[in-house]
Amino acid sequence: MNAIPRAKVVAAAMMTAGLCLSAVACTNSGNDSSGSPSSSASDNSAAAQQVATPTDSAAGPGCTYQRYAGGVPKLDITDGKTVVGFSQSESTSNPFRATETKSIENEAKRLGVKLIERNANADVNAQNSQIQDMIAQGAKVLIVAPENSDGLGPALAQAKAKKIPVLTIDRTVTGTACTDFVAFIGSDFYGQAQIAADDLNTATGGNAHVAILTGTPGNNVTTDRTKGFQDQVKAKYPNIKIVASQTGNFAQTDGQKVMEQLLQAHSDINAVYAENDEMALGAIQAIRSACKTPGKDVKIVSIDGIQQMVQNVASGLAVADIETNPRFGPLAFQSLQNFYGASGVQDKVIIKDGHFTTDNAKQALSQGLVY
């Protein structure tokens, strides 16, 4: 489950590459949807936005502007004057980030919100600086998609000192809700992983040697998606063995490299759990390079729900894809309006995610419900 000596990996990889050269037609055959992800992603109409609904409210009072950090000024974010800052953590070449950004922009436009934006391109230091810059530019409220859970201390401290509320989406930040940040809006990452374990159990008949491609260390998404899968396997599936677990940093290139290494070290791998679709797309390429057939020799379950991966489910290259819904716009701005209103917003608001399987993937694609 740990690192493999590089010399051994390189030698084995060269041998495999040589063996597979004569079978290029085979390894590249089939409906290939596993190339570079498309940078175009839309909000996919009101029908797609309607799935962005919170779960039932938790017990206890919601966070309001009177309670937040000892009290902050009341604002009307729809008055066309109040500046709302949006900090995006990663490049919009990622379909999830593109759809997330578009959803925030569209809802701000619909409500008449004055929005300014910055993109940190996966650099937490840049994100701190950009948030501080938006504060200097007059932002009175912030919506932040954190690069990681621990790294935004300086920016959050400045926002708190200036009584500027921060609503976090898709990843948590270190601190206390209604004190250091208003609330977290996002998916049930632990529950997603449990579903992934269930899907792999069904696909393999309960007998599997699984490789886990984990996400970037240091954020709650990776932690919950790893623990949820491991806990579900331990509790319910005694014949599923996790034979390897290694980070692919939520990236397609890293996912491919790591999967190539794992297949060399563990020839018995017949299932892959990828903690996001980018790594799953890389895994598909690695599986083919190893002269194996994805969907047949190696079953794949992933999380995110980007169009390419759902197409892979529809064509049989993957077993299932659990959606991580990026359409936060309506829910984020409604939460802010509740924050400045009487009802307040709960510490954690869980967005509703889809679950794409061979039974419904084609229909979801045709209905435009996939980003």
Side-chain angles (χ1 to χ4, degrees):
M1 295 178 66
N2 296 316
I4 304 154
R6 181 168 179 80
K8 185 179 292 186
V9 171
V10 171
M14 291 176 65
M15 182 178 294
T16 301
L19 290 173
C20 287
L21 280 175
S22 61
V24 169
C26 175
T27 59
N28 289 329
S29 63
N31 297 321
D32 187 359
S33 302
S34 59
S36 299
S38 170
S39 61
S40 64
S42 68
D43 219 13
N44 287 332
S45 78
Q49 291 184 11
Q50 287 172 4
V51 302
T53 55
T55 57
D56 293 338
S57 295
C63 183
T64 64
Y65 70 96
Q66 298 104 322
R67 293 183 58 224
Y68 182 75
V72 297
K74 184 174 184 179
L75 300 172
D76 178 2
I77 62 171
T78 63
D79 63 6
K81 301 176 183 178
T82 300
V83 178
V84 177
F86 172 52
S87 174
Q88 176 58 273
S89 60
E90 296 172 8
S91 170
T92 51
S93 63
N94 180 320
F96 179 93
R97 299 297 171 186
T99 306
E100 180 179 62
T101 297
K102 191 69 173 176
S103 181
I104 295 291
E105 292 172 344
N106 284 355
E107 189 67 4
K109 183 177 181 181
R110 189 184 76 82
L111 295 172
V113 172
K114 188 174 182 179
L115 186 72
I116 60 175
E117 304 176 54
R118 300 289 187 275
N119 192 308
N121 288 306
D123 184 336
V124 71
N125 293 322
Q127 190 166 36
N128 273 292
S129 297
Q130 289 173 354
I131 291 172
Q132 292 166 336
D133 177 63
M134 287 192 290
I135 292 172
Q137 294 296 314
K140 301 300 182 185
V141 190
L142 292 164
I143 300 171
V144 176
E147 170 56 23
N148 63 47
S149 300
D150 301 324
L152 293 181
L156 294 180
Q158 182 173 338
K160 185 177 179 180
K162 292 182 176 294
K163 294 188 176 297
I164 297 171
V166 177
L167 179 68
T168 64
I169 60 174
D170 82 54
R171 290 176 183 167
T172 62
V173 291
T174 300
T176 304
C178 210
T179 298
D180 303 298
F181 59 95
V182 174
F184 162 71
I185 302 176
S187 295
D188 177 2
F189 305 118
Y190 186 93
Q192 290 175 329
Q194 290 178 302
I195 295 170
D198 294 341
D199 288 340
L200 271 186
N201 175 71
T202 300
T204 61
N207 288 282
H209 289 180
V210 182
I212 302 177
L213 297 178
T214 65
T216 306
N219 68 73
N220 66 302
V221 180
T222 297
T223 300
D224 289 352
R225 285 182 181 170
T226 302
K227 189 172 183 348
F229 187 87
Q230 291 173 337
D231 287 353
Q232 188 78 342
V233 167
K234 183 177 180 180
K236 297 183 66 175
Y237 307 124
N239 293 323
I240 291 182
K241 308 299 180 185
I242 299 172
V243 299
S245 180
Q246 193 165 321
T247 182
N249 293 310
F250 284 140
Q252 182 172 342
T253 300
D254 288 356
Q256 181 173 347
K257 289 179 180 177
V258 169
M259 194 67 228
E260 288 170 351
Q261 294 174 3
L262 295 180
L263 287 169
Q264 292 294 333
H266 303 276
S267 60
D268 57 342
I269 289 172
N270 65 347
V272 173
Y273 163 49
E275 292 183 3
N276 85 332
D277 284 352
E278 295 287 326
M279 294 188 296
L281 293 173
I284 287 174
Q285 299 286 22
I287 291 164
R288 284 176 163 157
S289 294
C291 301
K292 296 177 182 290
T293 303
K296 182 180 179 182
D297 299 321
V298 182
K299 307 292 186 181
I300 303 164
V301 171
S302 183
I303 300 177
D304 264 355
I306 68 171
Q307 188 173 56
Q308 281 187 291
M309 202 61 202
V310 178
Q311 287 172 342
N312 286 338
V313 174
S315 65
L317 293 178
V319 171
D321 197 10
I322 299 95
E323 182 188 44
T324 303
N325 190 345
R327 304 175 189 92
F328 290 104
L331 201 51
F333 284 105
Q334 184 59 59
S335 295
L336 286 177
Q337 289 176 305
N338 292 344
F339 170 77
Y340 287 114
S343 61
V345 58
Q346 295 297 318
D347 293 357
K348 183 181 290 186
V349 180
I350 301 302
I351 199 168
K352 184 177 179 181
D353 295 324
H355 181 203
F356 305 113
T357 68
T358 52
D359 293 331
N360 65 12
K362 289 182 181 179
Q363 181 180 6
L365 288 163
S366 66
Q367 291 178 346
L369 298 178
V370 179
Y371 60 91

